[in-house]
């Protein structure tokens, strides 16, 4: 087939697609777009409201016109260094997030590979047992967790986060297991011919091709640990508090005994900004990982 014939066929296909554009189909697409826009507004509106209120005079509260005039940008500098060292608690948050997220994603990927590619007796039962832990409410486990941490002498240290990271995450194990199940068996055969064991096969074949699933794991688990509040408040003292605990406690004017709500909102937005930026940077990988996970080829 010549290039002219291919181009003519493409034009005919496009014309047929245009003719199929019926009013009913257009109405459905408009309806779906309206739903998406409505959901976007619902999720974005609190952020926009918080941003405008963070620009009010710090003693004013959240009353007044929607867009404050004048805008008090100094609330952000006060949130950074007004009552406590913002950078110190930000560093605590980064450390806790990294030590709990990076090992958890890697060990979950390794466990997911084992469940997907290694045939062993009792594999399915053990996998179901791990998935069953996701149905246990946190309200049931946090008191035993606190008791064990205190008894082991790990209170007011970062070691619990390190242990949770090494232990992996049940949901991520499921995610990687579904992702690796879609890999062709020829990859394992080729690696075995080259003399690779399971660990080398995982490190040299599977892990380098797991960018989309890794992005999902890092964003999903990392944002969870970034905003952790309950465990951090229970197991840590002020010197190791993550930023979320300090910001949630609010900014106060000790002289007038009132909470500075605009400054608190400014601190909350600064706290949320790194997670939002990480999402936008890894957005394509996140979408690709969600779409491809669970597909079997």
């Amino acid at each position: 087939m010549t290039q002219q014939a291919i181009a003519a066929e493409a034009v005919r296909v496009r014309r047929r697609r245009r003719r199929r554009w019926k009013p009913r189909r257009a109405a459905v697409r408009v309806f779906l777009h309206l739903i998406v826009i409505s959901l976007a507004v619902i999720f974005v509106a609190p952020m926009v409201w918080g941003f405008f209120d963070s620009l009010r005079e710090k003693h004013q509260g959240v009353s007044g016109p929607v867009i404050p005039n004048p805008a008090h940008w100094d609330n952000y500098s006060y949130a950074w260094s007004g009552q406590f060292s913002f950078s110190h608690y930000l560093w605590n948050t980064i450390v806790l997030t990294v030590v709990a997220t990076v090992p958890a994603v890697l060990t979950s990927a390794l466990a997911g590979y084992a469940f997907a590619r290694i045939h062993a007796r009792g594999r399915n039962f053990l996998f179901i047992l791990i998935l069953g832990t996701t149905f246990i409410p946190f309200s049931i486990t946090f008191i035993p967790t606190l008791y064990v941490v205190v008894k082991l002498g790990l209170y007011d240290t970062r070691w619990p986060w390190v242990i949770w990271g090494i232990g992996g995450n049940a949901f991520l194990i499921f995610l990687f297991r579904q992702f690796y199940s879609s890999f062709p068996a020829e990859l394992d055969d080729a690696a075995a011919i080259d003399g690779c064991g399971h660990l080398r096969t995982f490190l040299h074949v599977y892990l380098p091709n797991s960018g989309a699933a890794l992005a999902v794991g890092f964003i999903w688990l990392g944002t969870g640990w970034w905003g952790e509040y309950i465990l951090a408040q229970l197991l840590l003292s002020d010197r190791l508090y993550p930023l979320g605990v300090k910001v949630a406690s609010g900014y106060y004017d000790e002289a007038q005994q009132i909470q500075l709500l605009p400054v608190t909102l400014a601190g909350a937005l600064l706290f949320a900004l790194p997670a939002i930026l990480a999402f936008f940077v890894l957005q394509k990988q996140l979408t690709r990982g969600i779409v491809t996970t669970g597909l079997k080829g």
Side-chain angles (χ1 to χ4, degrees):
M1 183 179 290
T2 63
Q3 294 292 334
Q4 293 80 2
I6 294 174
E9 181 64 23
V11 171
R12 284 194 294 270
V13 170
R14 286 197 295 268
R15 287 176 178 174
R16 284 199 299 269
R17 288 178 178 174
R18 291 195 188 99
R19 286 196 295 268
R20 293 174 186 171
W21 190 261
K22 298 179 180 179
R24 181 179 178 182
R25 185 182 177 189
V28 171
R29 291 183 67 87
V30 170
F31 177 71
L32 292 177
H33 278 78
L34 288 176
I35 292 178
V36 172
I37 294 173
S38 300
L39 292 175
V41 170
I42 291 173
F43 283 102
V44 173
M47 296 290 293
V48 176
W49 172 85
F51 171 72
F52 285 135
D53 280 342
S54 69
L55 299 178
R56 303 184 190 278
E57 201 280 325
K58 59 176 174 285
H59 294 94
Q60 181 181 353
V62 293
S63 60
V66 176
I67 302 178
N69 188 21
H72 295 271
W73 295 98
D74 57 313
N75 288 341
Y76 285 87
S77 61
Y78 187 85
W80 183 270
S81 59
Q83 292 188 359
F84 56 82
S85 177
F86 196 95
S87 58
H88 169 76
Y89 296 100
L90 178 62
W91 174 249
N92 286 346
T93 305
I94 295 174
V95 172
L96 288 179
T97 302
V98 169
V99 300
T101 301
V102 175
V105 173
L106 296 179
T107 54
S108 298
L110 184 59
Y113 166 80
F115 282 117
R117 315 304 297 190
I118 300 178
H119 299 282
R121 182 177 299 178
R123 178 187 65 172
N124 293 333
F125 172 77
L126 184 59
F127 180 67
I128 293 174
L129 187 64
I130 291 175
L131 283 184
T133 62
T134 61
F135 296 96
I136 302 176
F138 176 72
S139 57
I140 295 177
T141 61
F142 84 93
I143 293 179
T145 299
L146 176 61
Y147 179 81
V148 171
V149 168
V150 172
K151 286 297 182 181
L152 292 178
L154 302 179
Y155 181 78
D156 198 20
T157 68
R158 296 189 177 103
W159 282 109
W161 276 258
V162 176
I163 295 172
W164 291 326
I166 296 174
N169 180 272
F171 173 75
L172 292 186
I173 292 174
F174 168 77
L175 183 144
F176 282 106
R177 189 251 190 187
Q178 297 301 105
F179 183 74
Y180 291 143
S181 294
S182 64
F183 281 47
E186 289 78 8
L187 290 176
D188 301 280
D189 298 335
I193 293 174
D194 291 338
C196 295
H198 286 297
L199 184 58
R200 286 186 61 190
T201 301
F202 169 74
L203 293 176
H204 295 285
V205 178
Y206 282 81
L207 192 61
N209 293 285
S210 306
L214 290 173
V216 175
F218 280 119
I219 291 179
W220 181 81
L221 192 60
T223 52
W225 283 120
W226 183 270
E228 176 57 43
Y229 177 81
I230 297 177
L231 286 173
Q233 194 174 42
L234 285 174
L235 303 179
L236 300 175
S237 63
D238 184 81
R239 68 183 182 87
L240 294 178
Y241 271 164
L243 185 58
V245 176
K246 294 298 293 185
V247 171
S249 62
Y251 292 79
Y252 289 88
D253 187 332
E254 298 294 341
Q256 301 185 25
Q257 294 295 313
I258 60 173
Q259 184 177 9
L260 306 177
L261 291 178
V263 179
T264 302
L265 289 171
L269 289 175
L270 290 176
F271 168 66
L273 186 60
I276 296 174
L277 292 177
F279 170 79
F280 280 110
V281 170
L282 299 175
Q283 184 179 11
K284 291 184 179 179
Q285 292 84 348
L286 177 64
T287 305
R288 190 181 303 116
I290 293 174
V291 170
T292 56
T293 298
L295 299 180
K296 291 193 175 184

